[in-house]
Coordinates of all heavy atoms in Angstrom, one line a residue:
M225 N 46.2 -3.5 74.3 CA 45.5 -2.2 74.1 C 44.9 -2.1 72.7 O 45.6 -2.2 71.8 CB 46.4 -1.1 74.5 CG 45.7 0.3 74.5 SD 46.9 1.5 75.1 CE 46.7 2.8 74.0
V226 N 43.7 -1.7 72.6 CA 43.0 -1.5 71.3 C 43.2 -0.1 70.9 O 42.9 0.8 71.7 CB 41.5 -1.9 71.4 CG1 40.8 -1.6 70.1 CG2 41.4 -3.4 71.8
S227 N 43.6 0.1 69.7 CA 43.8 1.5 69.1 C 42.4 2.0 68.8 O 41.5 1.3 68.3 CB 44.6 1.5 67.9 OG 45.9 1.2 68.2
E228 N 42.2 3.3 69.1 CA 41.0 4.0 68.8 C 40.9 4.2 67.3 O 41.8 4.6 66.6 CB 40.9 5.3 69.5 CG 39.6 6.0 69.5 CD 39.6 7.2 70.4 OE1 40.6 7.6 70.9 OE2 38.5 7.7 70.6
K229 N 39.7 3.9 66.7 CA 39.5 4.1 65.3 C 39.3 5.6 65.0 O 38.7 6.4 65.8 CB 38.3 3.3 64.8 CG 38.4 1.9 65.0 CD 39.0 1.2 63.9 CE 37.9 0.7 62.9 NZ 38.3 -0.2 61.9
R230 N 39.8 6.0 63.8 CA 39.6 7.4 63.4 C 39.0 7.4 62.0 O 39.2 6.4 61.2 CB 41.0 8.0 63.3 CG 41.8 8.0 64.5 CD 41.8 9.2 65.2 NE 42.6 9.1 66.4 CZ 42.8 10.2 67.2 NH1 42.3 11.3 66.9 NH2 43.5 10.0 68.3
I231 N 38.3 8.5 61.7 CA 37.8 8.7 60.3 C 38.5 9.9 59.8 O 38.8 10.8 60.5 CB 36.3 9.0 60.4 CG1 35.6 7.7 60.9 CG2 35.8 9.4 59.0 CD1 34.1 7.9 61.1
G232 N 38.9 9.9 58.5 CA 39.6 11.0 58.0 C 39.7 11.0 56.5 O 39.1 10.2 55.8
V233 N 40.4 12.0 56.0 CA 40.6 12.2 54.6 C 42.1 12.3 54.3 O 42.8 13.0 55.0 CB 39.9 13.5 54.1 CG1 40.2 13.8 52.6 CG2 38.4 13.5 54.4
I234 N 42.5 11.6 53.3 CA 43.9 11.7 52.8 C 43.9 12.3 51.5 O 43.2 11.8 50.6 CB 44.6 10.3 52.8 CG1 44.6 9.6 54.2 CG2 46.0 10.4 52.2 CD1 45.0 8.2 54.1
G235 N 44.6 13.4 51.3 CA 44.8 14.1 50.0 C 46.1 13.7 49.4 O 47.1 13.8 50.1
I236 N 46.1 13.2 48.1 CA 47.3 12.8 47.5 C 47.4 13.6 46.2 O 46.5 13.7 45.4 CB 47.2 11.3 47.1 CG1 47.0 10.5 48.3 CG2 48.5 10.8 46.4 CD1 46.6 9.0 48.0
I237 N 48.6 14.2 46.0 CA 48.9 14.9 44.8 C 50.0 14.1 44.0 O 51.0 13.8 44.6 CB 49.5 16.4 45.0 CG1 48.5 17.2 45.9 CG2 49.8 17.1 43.7 CD1 47.2 17.5 45.3
V238 N 49.6 13.7 42.8 CA 50.5 12.9 42.0 C 51.2 13.8 41.0 O 50.6 14.3 40.0 CB 49.8 11.8 41.3 CG1 50.7 11.0 40.4 CG2 49.0 10.9 42.3
E239 N 52.4 14.2 41.2 CA 53.2 15.0 40.3 C 53.9 14.2 39.2 O 54.2 14.8 38.2 CB 54.2 15.8 41.1 CG 53.6 16.8 42.1 CD 54.6 17.5 43.0 OE1 55.6 17.0 43.3 OE2 54.3 18.7 43.3
D240 N 54.2 13.0 39.5 CA 54.9 12.1 38.5 C 54.0 10.9 38.2 O 53.8 10.0 39.0 CB 56.2 11.6 39.2 CG 57.0 10.7 38.2 OD1 56.5 10.4 37.1 OD2 58.1 10.2 38.6
R241 N 53.3 11.0 37.0 CA 52.3 10.0 36.7 C 52.9 8.6 36.5 O 52.2 7.6 36.6 CB 51.6 10.4 35.4 CG 50.7 11.6 35.6 CD 49.7 11.8 34.5 NE 49.0 10.6 34.0 CZ 48.0 10.0 34.6 NH1 47.5 10.4 35.7 NH2 47.4 9.0 34.0
Q242 N 54.2 8.5 36.4 CA 54.8 7.1 36.3 C 54.7 6.4 37.6 O 54.9 5.2 37.7 CB 56.3 7.3 35.9 CG 56.5 7.8 34.5 CD 57.9 7.8 34.0 OE1 58.8 7.2 34.6 NE2 58.2 8.5 32.9
Q243 N 54.4 7.1 38.7 CA 54.3 6.5 40.0 C 52.9 6.0 40.3 O 52.6 5.4 41.3 CB 54.7 7.5 41.1 CG 56.1 8.0 41.0 CD 57.1 6.9 41.2 OE1 56.9 5.8 41.6 NE2 58.3 7.3 40.8
V244 N 51.9 6.2 39.4 CA 50.5 5.8 39.6 C 50.4 4.3 39.8 O 49.7 3.9 40.8 CB 49.6 6.3 38.4 CG1 48.3 5.6 38.5 CG2 49.5 7.8 38.4
P245 N 51.0 3.4 39.1 CA 50.9 2.0 39.4 C 51.3 1.7 40.9 O 50.7 0.8 41.5 CB 51.8 1.3 38.4 CG 51.9 2.3 37.2 CD 51.8 3.6 37.9
Q246 N 52.4 2.3 41.4 CA 52.9 2.0 42.7 C 51.9 2.6 43.7 O 51.6 1.9 44.7 CB 54.2 2.7 42.9 CG 54.9 2.3 44.2 CD 56.3 2.8 44.3 OE1 56.9 3.4 43.4 NE2 56.9 2.7 45.5
V247 N 51.3 3.7 43.5 CA 50.2 4.3 44.4 C 49.0 3.4 44.4 O 48.5 3.1 45.5 CB 49.8 5.7 43.9 CG1 48.6 6.2 44.7 CG2 51.0 6.7 44.1
N248 N 48.6 2.9 43.2 CA 47.4 2.1 43.2 C 47.6 0.7 43.9 O 46.8 0.2 44.6 CB 47.0 1.8 41.7 CG 46.3 3.0 41.1 OD1 45.7 3.8 41.8 ND2 46.4 3.2 39.8
S249 N 48.8 0.2 43.7 CA 49.1 -1.1 44.4 C 49.2 -0.9 45.9 O 48.6 -1.7 46.7 CB 50.5 -1.5 43.9 OG 50.9 -2.7 44.6
L250 N 49.7 0.2 46.4 CA 49.8 0.5 47.8 C 48.3 0.7 48.4 O 48.0 0.1 49.4 CB 50.6 1.7 48.1 CG 50.9 2.1 49.6 CD1 51.5 0.9 50.3 CD2 51.7 3.3 49.7
L251 N 47.5 1.5 47.6 CA 46.2 1.7 48.1 C 45.4 0.4 48.2 O 44.6 0.1 49.1 CB 45.4 2.7 47.2 CG 46.0 4.1 47.3 CD1 45.2 5.0 46.2 CD2 45.8 4.7 48.7
S252 N 45.6 -0.5 47.2 CA 44.9 -1.8 47.2 C 45.3 -2.6 48.4 O 44.5 -3.3 49.0 CB 45.3 -2.6 45.9 OG 44.7 -2.0 44.8
S253 N 46.6 -2.5 48.8 CA 47.0 -3.3 50.0 C 46.5 -2.8 51.3 O 46.5 -3.5 52.3 CB 48.6 -3.4 50.0 OG 49.1 -2.1 50.3
F254 N 45.9 -1.5 51.3 CA 45.3 -1.0 52.5 C 43.8 -0.9 52.3 O 43.2 0.0 53.0 CB 45.9 0.4 52.7 CG 47.2 0.4 53.5 CD1 48.4 0.3 52.7 CD2 47.3 0.5 54.8 CE1 49.6 0.3 53.4 CE2 48.6 0.5 55.5 CZ 49.7 0.4 54.7
N255 N 43.2 -1.7 51.5 CA 41.8 -1.6 51.2 C 40.9 -1.8 52.5 O 39.8 -1.3 52.5 CB 41.4 -2.6 50.2 CG 41.5 -4.1 50.6 OD1 42.2 -4.4 51.6 ND2 40.9 -5.0 49.9
E256 N 41.4 -2.4 53.5 CA 40.6 -2.6 54.7 C 40.3 -1.3 55.5 O 39.3 -1.3 56.2 CB 41.2 -3.6 55.7 CG 42.5 -3.2 56.3 CD 43.7 -3.4 55.5 OE1 43.7 -3.9 54.4 OE2 44.8 -3.0 55.9
V257 N 41.1 -0.3 55.2 CA 40.8 1.0 55.9 C 40.2 2.0 55.0 O 39.8 3.1 55.4 CB 42.1 1.6 56.6 CG1 42.6 0.7 57.7 CG2 43.1 1.9 55.6
I258 N 40.2 1.7 53.7 CA 39.7 2.7 52.7 C 38.2 2.5 52.5 O 37.7 1.5 52.1 CB 40.4 2.6 51.4 CG1 41.9 3.0 51.6 CG2 39.8 3.5 50.3 CD1 42.8 2.7 50.4
I259 N 37.4 3.6 52.8 CA 36.0 3.6 52.6 C 35.6 4.0 51.1 O 34.7 3.5 50.5 CB 35.3 4.6 53.5 CG1 35.5 4.1 55.0 CG2 33.8 4.7 53.3 CD1 35.1 5.1 56.0
G260 N 36.3 5.0 50.6 CA 36.0 5.6 49.3 C 37.2 6.3 48.7 O 38.1 6.7 49.5
R261 N 37.2 6.5 47.5 CA 38.3 7.1 46.7 C 37.8 7.9 45.5 O 36.8 7.4 44.8 CB 39.2 6.0 46.3 CG 40.3 6.5 45.3 CD 41.1 5.3 44.8 NE 42.0 5.7 43.8 CZ 43.0 5.0 43.4 NH1 43.2 3.8 43.8 NH2 43.8 5.5 42.5
M262 N 38.3 9.1 45.3 CA 38.0 9.8 44.1 C 39.3 10.4 43.5 O 40.1 10.9 44.3 CB 37.1 11.0 44.5 CG 36.7 11.9 43.3 SD 35.6 13.3 43.6 CE 36.6 14.2 44.8
G263 N 39.5 10.2 42.3 CA 40.7 10.7 41.6 C 40.3 11.6 40.4 O 39.4 11.2 39.7
L264 N 41.0 12.6 40.3 CA 40.8 13.6 39.2 C 42.1 14.0 38.5 O 43.0 14.4 39.2 CB 40.1 14.9 39.7 CG 38.8 14.7 40.4 CD1 38.4 16.0 41.1 CD2 37.7 14.3 39.4
P265 N 42.1 13.9 37.2 CA 43.3 14.5 36.5 C 43.2 16.0 36.4 O 42.1 16.5 36.2 CB 43.2 13.8 35.1 CG 41.8 13.6 34.9 CD 41.2 13.3 36.3
Y266 N 44.3 16.7 36.6 CA 44.3 18.1 36.5 C 45.3 18.4 35.4 O 46.4 18.7 35.6 CB 44.7 18.7 37.8 CG 44.5 20.2 37.9 CD1 44.8 20.9 39.1 CD2 44.0 21.0 36.9 CE1 44.6 22.2 39.3 CE2 43.8 22.4 37.0 CZ 44.1 23.0 38.2 OH 44.0 24.3 38.4
H267 N 44.8 18.3 34.1 CA 45.7 18.4 32.9 C 46.4 19.8 32.8 O 47.5 19.8 32.4 CB 44.8 18.2 31.7 CG 44.2 16.8 31.6 ND1 44.9 15.7 31.6 CD2 42.9 16.5 31.7 CE1 44.1 14.6 31.6 NE2 42.9 15.1 31.6
E268 N 45.7 20.9 33.2 CA 46.3 22.2 33.1 C 47.6 22.3 34.0 O 48.5 23.1 33.7 CB 45.4 23.3 33.6 CG 44.2 23.5 32.6 CD 43.0 22.4 32.9 OE1 43.1 21.7 33.9 OE2 42.2 22.3 32.0
R269 N 47.7 21.5 35.0 CA 48.9 21.5 35.9 C 49.8 20.3 35.8 O 50.7 20.1 36.5 CB 48.5 21.8 37.3 CG 47.9 23.1 37.5 CD 48.2 23.6 38.9 NE 47.7 24.9 39.1 CZ 48.2 25.7 40.0 NH1 49.2 25.4 40.7 NH2 47.6 26.9 40.1
S270 N 49.4 19.4 34.9 CA 50.1 18.1 34.6 C 50.3 17.3 35.9 O 51.3 16.8 36.2 CB 51.5 18.4 34.0 OG 51.3 19.0 32.8
L271 N 49.1 17.2 36.7 CA 49.2 16.3 37.8 C 47.8 15.7 38.1 O 46.8 16.0 37.3 CB 49.6 17.1 39.1 CG 48.9 18.5 39.4 CD1 47.6 18.2 40.2 CD2 49.9 19.3 40.2
S272 N 47.7 14.8 39.0 CA 46.4 14.2 39.4 C 46.2 14.4 40.9 O 47.2 14.5 41.6 CB 46.4 12.7 39.1 OG 46.5 12.5 37.7
I273 N 44.9 14.4 41.3 CA 44.6 14.6 42.7 C 43.7 13.4 43.1 O 42.7 13.1 42.4 CB 43.8 16.0 42.9 CG1 44.7 17.1 42.4 CG2 43.4 16.1 44.4 CD1 43.9 18.4 42.2
I274 N 44.1 12.8 44.2 CA 43.3 11.7 44.7 C 42.9 12.0 46.1 O 43.7 12.4 46.9 CB 44.1 10.3 44.7 CG1 44.7 10.1 43.3 CG2 43.3 9.2 45.2 CD1 45.7 8.9 43.2
S275 N 41.6 11.8 46.4 CA 41.1 11.9 47.8 C 40.7 10.6 48.3 O 40.0 9.9 47.6 CB 40.1 13.0 48.0 OG 38.9 12.6 47.2
I276 N 41.1 10.2 49.5 CA 40.8 8.9 50.1 C 40.0 9.1 51.4 O 40.5 9.9 52.2 CB 42.0 8.1 50.4 CG1 42.9 8.0 49.1 CG2 41.7 6.7 50.9 CD1 42.4 7.1 48.0
I277 N 38.9 8.5 51.6 CA 38.2 8.5 52.9 C 38.6 7.2 53.6 O 38.5 6.1 53.1 CB 36.7 8.6 52.7 CG1 36.3 9.7 51.8 CG2 36.0 8.7 54.1 CD1 36.7 11.0 52.1
V278 N 39.1 7.4 54.8 CA 39.6 6.2 55.6 C 38.9 6.1 56.9 O 38.4 7.1 57.5 CB 41.1 6.3 55.8 CG1 41.9 6.2 54.5 CG2 41.5 7.6 56.5
D279 N 38.9 4.9 57.5 CA 38.4 4.6 58.8 C 39.3 3.5 59.3 O 39.2 2.3 58.9 CB 36.9 4.1 58.7 CG 36.3 3.8 60.0 OD1 37.0 4.0 61.1 OD2 35.1 3.4 60.1
G280 N 40.1 3.8 60.3 CA 41.0 2.8 60.9 C 41.8 3.4 62.0 O 41.5 4.5 62.5
S281 N 42.7 2.6 62.6 CA 43.5 3.1 63.7 C 44.5 4.1 63.2 O 44.8 4.2 62.0 CB 44.2 1.9 64.3 OG 45.3 1.4 63.5
T282 N 45.1 4.9 64.1 CA 46.1 5.9 63.7 C 47.3 5.1 63.2 O 48.0 5.7 62.3 CB 46.5 6.8 64.9 OG1 46.8 6.0 66.0 CG2 45.3 7.7 65.3
D283 N 47.6 4.0 63.7 CA 48.8 3.2 63.2 C 48.5 2.8 61.7 O 49.4 2.9 60.9 CB 49.0 2.0 64.1 CG 49.5 2.3 65.4 OD1 50.0 3.4 65.6 OD2 49.5 1.4 66.3
E284 N 47.3 2.3 61.4 CA 47.0 1.9 60.1 C 47.1 3.0 59.1 O 47.7 3.0 58.0 CB 45.7 1.2 60.0 CG 45.5 -0.1 60.7 CD 44.1 -0.6 60.8 OE1 43.2 0.3 61.1 OE2 43.9 -1.8 60.7
I285 N 46.4 4.1 59.5 CA 46.4 5.3 58.6 C 47.8 5.9 58.5 O 48.2 6.3 57.4 CB 45.3 6.3 59.1 CG1 43.9 5.6 59.0 CG2 45.4 7.6 58.3 CD1 42.8 6.4 59.7
G286 N 48.5 6.0 59.6 CA 49.9 6.5 59.5 C 50.8 5.7 58.7 O 51.7 6.2 58.0
A287 N 50.6 4.3 58.7 CA 51.4 3.5 57.8 C 51.1 3.8 56.3 O 52.0 3.8 55.5 CB 51.2 2.0 58.1
L288 N 49.9 3.9 56.0 CA 49.5 4.2 54.6 C 50.1 5.6 54.2 O 50.7 5.7 53.2 CB 48.0 4.2 54.5 CG 47.4 4.7 53.2 CD1 48.0 3.9 52.0 CD2 45.9 4.7 53.2
T289 N 49.8 6.6 55.0 CA 50.3 7.9 54.6 C 51.9 8.0 54.5 O 52.4 8.6 53.7 CB 49.8 9.1 55.5 OG1 50.1 8.8 56.8 CG2 48.3 9.2 55.3
G290 N 52.5 7.3 55.5 CA 53.9 7.3 55.5 C 54.5 6.6 54.3 O 55.5 7.1 53.7
R291 N 53.9 5.5 53.9 CA 54.4 4.8 52.7 C 54.2 5.6 51.4 O 55.0 5.6 50.5 CB 53.9 3.4 52.6 CG 54.5 2.5 53.8 CD 54.1 1.1 53.8 NE 54.4 0.4 52.5 CZ 53.8 -0.8 52.2 NH1 53.1 -1.4 53.1 NH2 54.1 -1.4 51.1
L292 N 53.0 6.2 51.4 CA 52.7 7.1 50.2 C 53.7 8.2 50.1 O 54.2 8.5 49.0 CB 51.3 7.6 50.3 CG 50.1 6.7 50.0 CD1 48.8 7.3 50.4 CD2 50.1 6.4 48.5
G293 N 54.0 8.8 51.2 CA 54.9 9.9 51.2 C 56.3 9.6 50.8 O 57.1 10.5 50.5
Q294 N 56.7 8.3 50.9 CA 58.0 7.9 50.5 C 58.2 7.7 49.0 O 59.3 7.6 48.5 CB 58.4 6.6 51.2 CG 58.6 6.7 52.7 CD 58.8 5.4 53.4 OE1 58.6 4.4 52.8 NE2 59.3 5.5 54.6
I295 N 57.1 7.7 48.3 CA 57.1 7.5 46.8 C 57.5 8.9 46.2 O 56.9 9.9 46.4 CB 55.7 7.1 46.3 CG1 55.3 5.7 46.9 CG2 55.8 6.9 44.8 CD1 53.9 5.3 46.6
P296 N 58.6 8.9 45.4 CA 59.0 10.1 44.7 C 57.9 10.7 43.8 O 57.2 9.9 43.1 CB 60.2 9.7 43.8 CG 60.6 8.4 44.4 CD 59.4 7.8 45.0
G297 N 57.7 12.0 43.8 CA 56.7 12.6 43.0 C 55.3 12.6 43.6 O 54.3 12.9 42.9
I298 N 55.1 12.1 44.8 CA 53.8 12.0 45.5 C 53.9 12.9 46.8 O 54.8 12.8 47.5 CB 53.5 10.6 45.9 CG1 53.6 9.6 44.7 CG2 52.2 10.5 46.6 CD1 52.6 9.9 43.6
K299 N 52.9 13.7 46.9 CA 52.7 14.6 48.1 C 51.4 14.1 48.8 O 50.4 13.9 48.2 CB 52.5 16.1 47.7 CG 53.7 16.6 46.9 CD 54.9 16.7 47.6 CE 56.0 17.3 46.8 NZ 57.3 16.9 47.1
V300 N 51.5 14.0 50.2 CA 50.4 13.5 50.9 C 50.1 14.4 52.1 O 51.0 14.8 52.8 CB 50.7 12.1 51.5 CG1 49.5 11.5 52.2 CG2 51.1 11.2 50.3
K301 N 48.8 14.6 52.4 CA 48.4 15.3 53.6 C 47.1 14.6 54.1 O 46.3 14.1 53.3 CB 48.0 16.8 53.4 CG 49.2 17.7 53.0 CD 50.1 17.8 54.1 CE 51.2 18.7 53.7 NZ 52.2 18.9 54.8
S302 N 47.0 14.5 55.5 CA 45.8 13.9 56.0 C 45.2 14.7 57.1 O 45.9 15.4 57.8 CB 46.1 12.4 56.4 OG 47.1 12.5 57.5
T303 N 43.9 14.5 57.4 CA 43.3 15.0 58.5 C 42.4 13.9 59.1 O 41.7 13.2 58.3 CB 42.5 16.3 58.2 OG1 42.0 16.8 59.4 CG2 41.4 16.1 57.2
L304 N 42.4 13.7 60.4 CA 41.7 12.7 61.1 C 40.8 13.2 62.3 O 41.3 14.2 62.9 CB 42.6 11.6 61.6 CG 43.6 11.0 60.6 CD1 44.5 10.1 61.3 CD2 42.8 10.2 59.6
V305 N 39.7 12.6 62.5 CA 38.9 12.9 63.7 C 38.6 11.6 64.4 O 38.5 10.6 63.9 CB 37.6 13.7 63.3 CG1 37.9 15.0 62.7 CG2 36.8 12.8 62.4
T306 N 38.4 11.8 65.7 CA 38.0 10.6 66.5 C 36.4 10.6 66.5 O 35.8 11.6 66.7 CB 38.4 10.8 68.0 OG1 39.9 10.9 68.0 CG2 38.1 9.6 68.8
R307 N 35.9 9.4 66.3 CA 34.5 9.3 66.2 C 34.0 8.0 66.7 O 34.5 7.0 66.2 CB 34.0 9.6 64.8 CG 32.6 9.4 64.5 CD 31.8 10.6 64.9 NE 30.4 10.3 64.6 CZ 29.4 11.1 64.8 NH1 29.7 12.3 65.3 NH2 28.2 10.7 64.6

């Protein structure tokens, strides 16, 4: 059975900047589902915000968000649509 592809946005809040190398490494390993990425430092709140545009199966995207969510100091939310 072929999984239906989804398009979506993953929002990542980095509260612990020491975790950035681990986040970047994980994102690189999922490069086949990532269409684009934008990251912004938010100095006033001592955090960074990353938005990721993805196109992949729910399993692929779920694996990415699940692994990101396991990193201490990282908060993740996603929204997906079928297209």
